[in-house]
Amino acid sequence: MSDIDAQTLLRAYAYGVFPMAESRDDPELYWIDPERRGILPLETFHVPKRLARTIRRAPFDIRVDTAFREVMLGCADSSPGRDGTWINERILDLYCELHEHDRAHSVECWREGKLVGGLYGVSLGSAFFGESMFSRETDASKVALVYLVARLIRGGYDLLDTQFVTSHLQQFGAIEISRDQYRARLARATMREADFHAMPDDATPDYILQSVTQIS
């Protein structure tokens, strides 16, 4: 898939597939179309009480779309429990191109001027496709996820695709659905427009938690 471009990538997302590489150094990309798809239903998303307390303390400066490539590089780094990555140079370039066209976004956690965690994904219609997240400090990726979900709810999104379900995501309500169920939801979501920028970038912790009403 060396000839893939950003528009081809968007069409693939609309169809329900996404690319990955075997490793950081592998130049090839492969289309992934799981039989079971992970999603995080926005209407039942919930925040653990301990994490809600962390968000109220506001340990991080939350920024949006200020360091997109750096977030991708953070996701590509090796970390405890993750020796390798599927994010190669081609993926970096493709998603940065989507970002330049306002089709890919990052939510970032900063502390004392340093990027300490965040996530990135692709926006198409009222669907958001979460790609990857990383933490260099405790709870940074979790806080970024809550801020993302608040933004999606405020912006009128219908679908948050997580690709797969992990224990990290299960605590927020992530579930698996069949490929056919996913494609039906995706088709509906891509028929509607949503606004990733509807929520102010300087939203307060209380505003965020009010947006995400399910706290357990």
Side-chain angles (χ1 to χ4, degrees), residues 16-18 31-38 163-164 176-183:
V17 300
F18 56 91
W31 292 121
I32 309 297
D33 185 13
E35 290 186 10
R36 304 287 297 175
R37 193 68 167 244
Q163 299 176 350
F164 306 104
E176 275 189 343
I177 58 176
S178 71
R179 181 187 290 155
D180 288 345
Q181 288 174 314
Y182 172 76
R183 286 182 175 170

Side-chain angles (χ1 to χ4, degrees), residues 10 13-14 42 103 105 121-130 148 152 155-161 182 185-196:
L10 281 180
Y13 273 100
L42 296 173
R103 289 295 193 178
H105 303 282
V122 174
S123 179
L124 182 63
S126 65
F128 191 89
F129 308 86
L148 170 69
L152 299 183
Y157 283 77
D158 296 306
L159 175 65
L160 173 51
D161 171 16
Y182 172 76
R185 291 190 183 213
L186 177 62
R188 291 193 296 269
T190 53
M191 293 286 289
R192 291 185 63 252
E193 284 300 319
D195 184 3
F196 188 82

Side-chain angles (χ1 to χ4, degrees), residues 2-75:
S2 58
D3 59 344
I4 184 175
D5 59 18
Q7 289 306 310
T8 301
L9 185 55
L10 281 180
R11 288 195 296 271
Y13 273 100
Y15 181 71
V17 300
F18 56 91
M20 295 180 75
E22 289 288 345
S23 68
R24 183 77 167 86
D25 300 323
D26 184 353
E28 294 298 319
L29 300 181
Y30 306 91
W31 292 121
I32 309 297
D33 185 13
E35 290 186 10
R36 304 287 297 175
R37 193 68 167 244
I39 65 168
L40 231 175
L42 296 173
E43 65 276 12
T44 56
F45 180 85
H46 59 266
V47 183
K49 288 182 179 178
R50 186 192 64 80
L51 183 60
R53 290 194 296 270
T54 298
I55 289 170
R56 289 189 180 97
R57 291 202 311 270
F60 308 117
D61 173 21
I62 309 299
R63 305 178 192 176
V64 175
D65 287 344
T66 71
F68 183 84
R69 189 178 184 89
E70 290 80 359
V71 169
M72 287 196 69
L73 289 171
C75 293

Side-chain angles (χ1 to χ4, degrees), residues 89-206:
E89 288 298 323
R90 187 71 185 117
I91 284 178
L92 276 166
D93 291 342
L94 279 169
Y95 286 81
C96 285
E97 185 178 348
L98 287 181
H99 173 63
E100 290 171 3
H101 291 90
D102 203 40
R103 289 295 193 178
H105 303 282
S106 59
V107 178
E108 309 147 11
C109 293
W110 295 76
R111 191 202 288 270
E112 297 177 355
K114 294 182 180 179
L115 180 65
V116 296
L119 55 79
Y120 76 97
V122 174
S123 179
L124 182 63
S126 65
F128 191 89
F129 308 86
E131 285 297 312
S132 191
M133 59 179 64
F134 79 102
S135 284
R136 293 175 182 149
E137 292 196 10
T138 301
D139 288 338
S141 65
K142 295 177 183 179
V143 171
L145 178 60
V146 175
Y147 270 74
L148 170 69
V149 170
R151 180 171 290 272
L152 299 183
I153 291 171
R154 292 290 186 176
Y157 283 77
D158 296 306
L159 175 65
L160 173 51
D161 171 16
T162 66
Q163 299 176 350
F164 306 104
V165 173
T166 65
S167 58
H168 181 80
L169 294 172
Q170 281 179 322
Q171 65 188 298
F172 297 99
I175 61 172
E176 275 189 343
I177 58 176
S178 71
R179 181 187 290 155
D180 288 345
Q181 288 174 314
Y182 172 76
R183 286 182 175 170
R185 291 190 183 213
L186 177 62
R188 291 193 296 269
T190 53
M191 293 286 289
R192 291 185 63 252
E193 284 300 319
D195 184 3
F196 188 82
H197 304 287
M199 193 178 85
D201 289 348
D202 59 352
T204 65
D206 283 341

